[in-house]
Amino acid sequence: MESPIKSPSPEKLKREVSTPYLLRRLKQTKYAHTMPSERFDVSESSSSSSSSSSGSSSDEGEEELSIGQRRRVIDCDDEAGENKENIESYFHSRKGGNTSNKTLHDLQLDELDHNKTVKLLSKVKIKYSKEKTALFADHCQYFPQWLIYLQDGFNLCLYGVGSKRQVLISFAKKHLKHRLHMIINGYFPNLTTRDVLNSITRDMLGSEGTYKSVQDQMSFIRESVSSHHPIYLLINNIDGSNLRSEKAQQVLAELASLENIRVIATVDHINSPLLWDEHRAQLFNWLWIDCTTFDSYEDETSTESSIMIKQTGALALSSMTYVLRSLTPNAQGIFRLLANYQLECGADFQGITFQDFYLKCREKFLVNSDATLRTQLTEFRDHQLIKSRSSDGTELLHIPVDLKILRQFLDNTES
């Protein structure tokens, strides 16, 4: 049988609750983590209180105790000071140096011209060419299914790693050959929604009228396509830099919501879905399709500049070629007419007046009114294909490139 727990004797309780004992416990627990100066004050006060309460300690013992405590406090302060100096020296040694103001231009590297750059890149062996070809063929097998989705009222958004431009072109050649369609390259730096709407009204709907605002033009398209054959818009890079604004996306969303307009778009930016809120997403009615190709973005980056490549006429020729491909046949004919006339005049060519150029375009049946020509010239200016100068109060039009580059451009486009 276990013995009962004994309660402490009265003498022990009296000793535990006595003032010196409690003060010693406070010194060991409560004030164990205080600053050295605070410990000194408490211990000094505790010693004085203990001596006064007990009355048995002598003055000499108090002096010796206080001196010992002071020594410990001084030692703690010295140790804290050394630690502080070590910490400051550590962060001072890790302090970053001065930022260099040198740039890549200071290296004075030899810049490559465009032709040499293309030649060097053509020698680079394409990796996994067989796998890429098989992946492209796999996408082409789903083209009939894509067409069914479009006819059922969905719009397609192609995403994935790699350029999807060739996929769109292949789809247009195989299944949209006898249907009204238009390819829009959203990566062009000067592309605007006005260009898209003008191409739809002129080329798709056959209207040569002018419109006061985008809303008026949208109202005309809305009324015209209700009784029109379906129009297919193939937008490569709908997330292009000039199409990311809210106004541009709203116009495209309203176009995609029309009954007889079908949209196939590609996206490449990882944050592209953030372009559309709930309302615009409903207007687009996207059907997302993984179209990973792993192809290089050669066409999409053709208009980009590089500090390693000279801004030569070859780059201007490449940009001019890509821009002209996106224009309508009439627009291409107008530009070629001006280019041929500028070559015929030679190096002394200062420009042609608007009226003379309008008569030449009228003779070739490229325009039927001066308003149409002015609209087309505005589009050329937006793409920086032509410039105008003033001479004796008369506006003169010209193409701001060298004659050699202009002749090369005509040879490449007409062949």
Side-chain angles (χ1 to χ4, degrees):
M1 183 174 181
E2 297 181 359
S3 61
I5 300 175
K6 295 181 179 180
S7 59
S9 62
E11 295 180 358
K12 186 177 182 181
L13 288 173
K14 184 177 180 181
R15 180 173 53 83
E16 289 181 353
V17 299
S18 61
T19 303
Y21 178 80
L22 291 178
L23 288 174
R24 284 197 300 272
R25 295 295 297 168
L26 287 173
K27 286 170 59 180
Q28 296 174 1
T29 58
K30 182 177 180 181
Y31 297 98
H33 303 288
T34 54
M35 296 297 292
S37 59
E38 295 178 359
R39 292 206 303 269
F40 172 74
D41 295 339
V42 172
S43 37
E44 186 177 10
S45 61
S46 63
S47 62
S48 61
S49 61
S50 63
S51 62
S52 62
S53 61
S54 61
S56 59
S57 300
S58 62
D59 296 337
E60 185 178 356
E62 289 181 359
E63 291 180 0
E64 292 178 356
L65 180 64
S66 61
I67 290 173
Q69 290 176 346
R70 287 192 181 94
R71 288 176 179 175
R72 288 195 298 270
V73 169
I74 292 173
D75 293 340
C76 293
D77 290 339
D78 293 341
E79 183 178 357
E82 292 178 0
N83 292 336
K84 184 177 180 181
E85 292 178 359
N86 293 334
I87 293 173
E88 290 180 353
S89 61
Y90 170 81
F91 285 106
H92 181 73
S93 63
R94 297 298 188 274
K95 187 183 297 183
N98 296 329
T99 304
S100 174
N101 57 357
K102 295 182 179 180
T103 61
L104 187 61
H105 181 71
D106 297 335
L107 298 177
Q108 297 181 355
L109 299 175
D110 294 334
E111 294 181 343
L112 302 174
D113 56 26
H114 183 74
N115 292 332
K116 190 174 182 180
T117 304
V118 173
K119 186 178 180 180
L120 291 175
L121 291 177
S122 62
K123 296 180 180 179
V124 178
K125 185 178 180 181
I126 301 176
K127 296 182 178 181
Y128 309 106
S129 57
K130 294 181 179 179
E131 289 79 3
K132 290 180 181 180
T133 303
L135 191 60
F136 183 84
D138 184 63
H139 292 315
C140 295
Q141 292 179 0
Y142 292 95
F143 283 171
Q145 190 174 353
W146 293 7
L147 190 61
I148 294 175
Y149 291 151
L150 293 172
Q151 293 174 352
D152 288 342
F154 291 99
N155 295 310
L156 306 183
C157 187
L158 310 182
Y159 68 95
V161 181
S163 174
K164 292 161 279 293
R165 183 172 180 271
Q166 294 301 324
V167 177
L168 288 183
I169 294 175
S170 180
F171 179 79
K173 290 180 178 179
K174 292 182 178 180
H175 296 279
L176 302 181
K177 188 175 182 180
H178 302 291
R179 294 179 172 89
L180 288 176
H181 67 277
M182 180 174 63
I183 298 178
I184 302 170
N185 293 317
Y187 52 81
F188 280 150
N190 297 319
L191 181 67
T192 62
T193 52
R194 176 72 76 171
D195 299 332
V196 177
L197 297 179
N198 289 339
S199 299
I200 294 175
T201 53
R202 286 198 309 263
D203 303 332
M204 303 289 104
L205 302 177
S207 174
E208 296 291 342
T210 58
Y211 308 92
K212 296 181 180 179
S213 63
V214 173
Q215 295 302 325
D216 293 340
Q217 198 167 5
M218 280 296 302
S219 300
F220 172 79
I221 295 174
R222 190 178 294 107
E223 295 175 358
S224 301
V225 299
S226 59
S227 58
H228 200 273
H229 295 292
I231 299 175
Y232 295 85
L233 301 181
L234 288 76
I235 308 177
N236 189 25
N237 288 114
I238 196 174
D239 54 348
S241 58
N242 279 14
L243 297 180
R244 294 177 186 174
S245 63
E246 293 187 3
K247 293 182 178 179
Q249 290 297 322
Q250 184 63 31
V251 170
L252 296 176
E254 292 179 4
L255 284 175
S257 65
L258 298 180
E259 183 178 359
N260 287 327
I261 290 185
R262 313 282 189 263
V263 176
I264 309 176
T266 68
V267 292
D268 289 294
H269 200 283
I270 191 173
N271 294 327
S272 296
L274 300 179
L275 291 173
W276 310 301
D277 54 16
E278 184 178 357
H279 175 65
R280 293 197 186 101
Q282 291 178 354
L283 292 178
F284 275 114
N285 195 21
W286 290 125
L287 190 61
W288 294 81
I289 297 178
D290 186 0
C291 190
T292 300
T293 62
F294 296 107
D295 288 338
S296 63
Y297 295 95
E298 181 179 355
D299 296 328
E300 288 82 351
T301 58
S302 60
T303 57
E304 297 291 335
S305 59
S306 173
I307 59 176
M308 298 297 296
I309 302 177
K310 293 180 180 180
Q311 304 296 320
T312 59
L315 184 60
L317 175 62
S318 176
S319 301
M320 198 160 48
T321 303
Y322 281 113
V323 170
L324 196 68
R325 287 178 183 176
S326 66
L327 301 178
T328 62
N330 281 352
Q332 295 177 9
I334 293 172
F335 186 79
R336 289 194 185 95
L337 182 63
L338 180 58
N340 285 318
Y341 182 76
Q342 185 167 333
L343 285 176
E344 292 175 0
C345 295
D348 298 332
F349 179 75
Q350 298 296 324
I352 183 174
T353 63
F354 173 80
Q355 191 62 30
D356 293 340
F357 188 53
Y358 169 69
L359 295 176
K360 290 182 177 293
C361 293
R362 191 70 180 265
E363 292 176 359
K364 299 292 183 180
F365 300 100
L366 296 174
V367 295
N368 55 8
S369 65
D370 59 346
T372 304
L373 181 59
R374 291 186 184 278
T375 303
Q376 193 59 64
L377 293 178
T378 301
E379 186 174 0
F380 288 158
R381 291 191 183 95
D382 293 339
H383 290 291
Q384 299 180 0
L385 293 178
I386 68 169
K387 288 186 177 181
S388 58
R389 64 166 66 97
S390 179
S391 176
D392 298 333
T394 304
E395 182 183 14
L396 300 178
L397 306 172
H398 72 286
I399 301 174
V401 295
D402 297 335
L403 296 181
K404 182 179 179 181
I405 299 173
L406 197 59
R407 188 180 303 278
Q408 186 179 358
F409 165 75
L410 291 175
D411 295 339
N412 294 339
T413 55
E414 292 176 356
S415 58

